[in-house]
Amino acid sequence: MLEPMLFKLLATAGIVILVALAVARVGPRLGGILAGTPVILGPGYFFMLREQAPAFVQEAVLSTLHALVATLLFTVCFVISAARLSAVKSLGLASLLWVPAALLFTQLPGGLMGALGAYLVVLLVA
């Protein structure tokens, strides 16, 4: 039981570390695109699919889409506040926005279409 968990931990951490190192080398524009790739979601879904029923994974993916709406708000908040505050304060403020937004958006009805609609609305506002 401990070995599979350790493998998952090391595989995911390794991917995150490799992306962080690559971002530092390729510059802010390409690095931002690279950092925005699903480096946690991909391995997470892979391991989930091996251990959970498809319906469970489907519900988890839908919740991820709802959380991405909050992540978009986090990003906008960070960009706006970073012009006035330090990086640490901007990160804190954006995180304080993300937590209630993620909780709120996961309660939205409408399944996939509702989640996509919410994301598109927030994207257009951003």
Side-chain angles (χ1 to χ4, degrees), residues 21-81:
L21 292 172
V23 166
R25 292 181 182 253
V26 298
R29 180 170 297 274
L30 190 56
I33 294 168
L34 184 59
T37 61
V39 296
I40 300 299
L41 297 178
Y45 293 151
F46 172 77
F47 292 124
M48 234 190 287
L49 283 167
R50 296 184 63 192
E51 298 172 1
Q52 301 293 333
F56 179 92
V57 178
Q58 184 179 15
E59 188 173 334
V61 171
L62 184 58
S63 292
T64 299
L65 183 54
H66 282 110
L68 287 175
V69 179
T71 300
L72 181 56
L73 290 174
F74 170 95
T75 304
V76 170
C77 179
F78 184 85
V79 167
I80 291 170
S81 62

Side-chain angles (χ1 to χ4, degrees), residues 89-101:
K89 288 179 181 177
S90 297
L91 183 61
L93 182 61
S95 297
L96 286 174
L97 174 66
W98 183 88
V99 171

Side-chain angles (χ1 to χ4, degrees), residues 79-124:
V79 167
I80 291 170
S81 62
R84 296 178 181 86
L85 304 172
S86 70
V88 172
K89 288 179 181 177
S90 297
L91 183 61
L93 182 61
S95 297
L96 286 174
L97 174 66
W98 183 88
V99 171
L103 293 172
L104 172 71
F105 286 121
T106 57
Q107 301 303 313
L108 288 177
L112 177 61
M113 288 300 123
L116 286 174
Y119 189 85
L120 289 174
V121 167
V122 173
L123 182 61
L124 288 173

